[in-house]
Amino acid sequence: MHKLRVGIVGCGNIFPMHAISIKKNDQLDLVAICDIKKDRVEKEAKRFETKAYDDYETMLKEAKLDVVHICTPHYLHAPMTVLAAEHHVHVLTEKPMAIHVDDAKKMIEACESHQVTLGVIFQNRYNKGAAFLKDVLMKGKLGKIKSAKCQVTWDRSDDYYMRSDWKGTWDKEGGGAVIDQAIHTLDLMRWFVDDEIDYIDASIANRVHLKIDVEDTAEGLIQFKNGVRANFHVINYNTMDSPVTIELHCENGIAKYTDGLAEITYTDTSKEIVGADPRERLDYGDVKSYWGVSHIKQISDFYQTLKEKKKPVIDGNEALVTQKIVNAIYESGKTHKKVYL
Ligand SMILES: NC(=O)c1ccc[n+]([C@@H]2O[C@H](COP(=O)([O-])OP(=O)(O)OC[C@H]3O[C@@H](n4cnc5c(N)ncnc54)[C@H](O)[C@@H]3O)[C@@H](O)[C@H]2O)c1
């Protein structure tokens, strides 16, 4: 059977989650990887027995890729997707889709006009607890959601930012705690609520960090058109990565989601609890545990839909909604006004 020829651009922190997920799929061939840091790409090419490139366009021209995974800094996601589409290569990009909504729309347009597929990684939707809670909500067991709230209180020190040549900047990262860390939780919360957004009213600040100009704090309200008020609280100056929490107050009970564990308490006091299965653990090497085990699930799902010529579950249009939330939080935080979507 013909194996799909896959490439990855960006061999940094998140690279192993993609490379290992591709290697474990016997329908895929990791034929090329690319990074401007030559030592890095050559080391990884040896480890994964593939060809190294230090120039993205050359990889696209020479490697005859079917699909490219984009694992580079945020500001490169849009131009790299457009270039891949022009070379008729399907794209699976890491979150966030882009820095600005306009760039995200250009990505969608380019992929549509060149008839290639665009997928965006939000792997936490594939966590067991998240998928279970979504299923319960869709089946109507909890009734309507009345309100929602989420909290992301993590530790990203000035040193963390100083170790990166792009994080902590508006032009390359596109923001701080919201676009990079809290984006996963905001995406989950709006996926659970599953309605159109009316407006966002938010504040952002840098309260603690000395060496970055992006926000380390954000709080606010996402007002959905169905009346649900979803509140968020985000900081990057906690002294530890506290468990991420989402709480949904529903007609028939309360759902709590804590770092992948879903706990539902129905109004009749019965409970359902679903969390990660420890047998699912996959050794991605030296990567952070909260990135979870779900990259491989989303990546195999992406390829399954590609094979079936269907659109991926999280395609460009789906990810665009979360991009709009992120950008509206920033606009509202900067203008001190409600931003209507
Ligand atoms: N889904 C998740 O849970 C998760 C977790 C971590 C990171 N990420 C995302 O993954 C992406 C990468 O983050 P990271 O932490 O791995 O960053 P990183 O800085 O560790 O790695 C980025 C790599 O891209 C390379 N690069 C930069 N410009 C390039 C270019 N023009 N051509 C080729 N390579 C280039 C850099 O040299 C670097 O090796 C970001 O979008 C980030 O938000 C997602």
Side-chain angles (χ1 to χ4, degrees):
M1 196 186 62
H2 165 68
K3 287 189 177 190
L4 289 180
R5 296 174 63 82
V6 182
I8 305 175
V9 60
C11 299
N13 296 312
I14 205 64
F15 166 82
M17 320 285 283
H18 288 260
I20 292 170
S21 302
I22 293 163
K23 281 288 197 182
K24 282 188 174 290
N25 188 326
D26 59 13
Q27 297 178 27
L28 310 178
D29 211 353
L30 182 62
V31 293
I33 61 173
C34 172
D35 200 294
I36 45 171
K37 293 182 178 150
K38 277 192 178 187
D39 294 357
R40 189 173 278 188
V41 70
E42 277 163 14
K43 186 172 149 232
E44 296 297 354
K46 250 189 210 146
R47 177 178 167 206
F48 288 100
E49 298 171 325
T50 186
K51 190 165 163 50
Y53 287 88
D54 61 11
D55 180 73
Y56 179 57
E57 195 161 2
T58 308
M59 176 171 82
L60 288 176
K61 279 187 182 144
E62 291 181 1
K64 298 188 174 67
L65 301 180
D66 294 301
V67 181
V68 67
H69 292 225
I70 298 178
C71 300
T72 49
H74 301 168
Y75 72 105
L76 292 171
H77 295 183
M80 284 184 161
T81 297
V82 172
L83 202 58
E86 287 166 359
H87 285 79
H88 306 285
V89 174
H90 302 292
V91 174
L92 181 57
T93 181
E94 266 296 343
K95 50 54 74 171
M97 193 173 172
I99 287 188
H100 300 292
V101 166
D102 286 350
D103 291 329
K105 287 182 178 165
K106 280 183 198 149
M107 293 162 76
I108 294 170
E109 280 160 22
C111 290
E112 278 175 1
S113 72
H114 293 283
Q115 296 182 329
V116 295
T117 296
L118 172 60
V120 182
I121 292 283
F122 279 110
Q123 81 277 8
N124 290 336
R125 289 197 194 184
Y126 288 76
N127 292 347
K128 263 215 154 90
F132 170 74
L133 180 50
K134 177 72 180 172
D135 188 52
V136 167
L137 290 164
M138 294 214 343
K139 286 180 175 147
K141 278 170 76 179
L142 272 165
K144 284 190 186 142
I145 296 175
K146 292 160 79 169
S147 66
K149 65 174 184 173
C150 73
Q151 196 169 43
V152 181
T153 53
W154 281 3
D155 172 21
R156 295 293 179 276
S157 62
D158 272 316
D159 282 352
Y160 160 89
Y161 285 104
M162 289 305 100
R163 282 196 296 273
S164 170
D165 50 13
W166 60 278
K167 292 206 170 196
T169 63
W170 284 106
D171 58 337
K172 292 193 166 82
E173 190 178 18
V178 172
I179 199 166
D180 203 321
Q181 283 79 37
I183 190 169
H184 284 294
T185 312
L186 294 165
D187 177 69
L188 280 180
M189 185 164 73
R190 75 102 180 151
W191 183 54
F192 292 145
V193 175
D194 199 14
D195 196 59
E196 283 182 42
I197 295 164
D198 186 8
Y199 66 83
I200 289 181
D201 195 349
S203 61
I204 57 169
N206 179 344
R207 296 222 167 98
V208 172
H209 288 77
L210 301 173
K211 297 186 175 164
I212 58 171
D213 52 0
V214 296
E215 86 291 353
D216 60 17
T217 307
E219 70 75 36
L221 163 70
I222 303 171
Q223 176 68 59
F224 286 87
K225 286 190 176 164
N226 63 4
V228 171
R229 288 196 284 266
N231 162 272
F232 57 90
H233 172 230
V234 175
I235 60 165
N236 252 1
Y237 58 83
N238 205 16
T239 52
M240 58 181 255
D241 289 343
S242 294
V244 162
T245 59
I246 301 175
E247 189 178 279
L248 307 174
H249 180 206
C250 306
E251 281 175 333
N252 303 337
I254 294 168
K256 288 189 181 173
Y257 179 82
T258 313
D259 263 1
L261 179 80
E263 290 179 270
I264 301 176
T265 309
Y266 294 97
T267 33
D268 65 3
T269 73
S270 63
K271 279 186 188 283
E272 285 188 287
I273 300 177
V274 171
D277 180 346
R279 287 167 302 183
E280 274 188 333
R281 282 215 67 75
L282 186 65
D283 186 9
Y284 285 111
D286 185 20
V287 297
K288 296 196 175 106
S289 60
Y290 55 74
W291 291 345
V293 293
S294 297
H295 266 87
I296 195 164
K297 296 185 201 168
Q298 183 173 355
I299 289 169
S300 53
D301 197 28
F302 173 82
Y303 282 102
Q304 187 58 32
T305 51
L306 201 59
K307 193 172 147 193
E308 292 169 2
K309 299 196 188 320
K310 291 183 186 159
K311 67 183 178 89
V313 174
I314 309 175
D315 69 353
N317 286 308
E318 179 63 15
L320 181 64
V321 181
T322 300
Q323 186 72 40
K324 285 181 180 171
I325 293 176
V326 165
N327 286 181
I329 291 171
Y330 287 140
E331 193 185 333
S332 177
K334 287 174 185 171
T335 60
H336 308 289
K337 289 187 175 144
K338 287 177 184 167
V339 174
Y340 287 83
L341 269 67

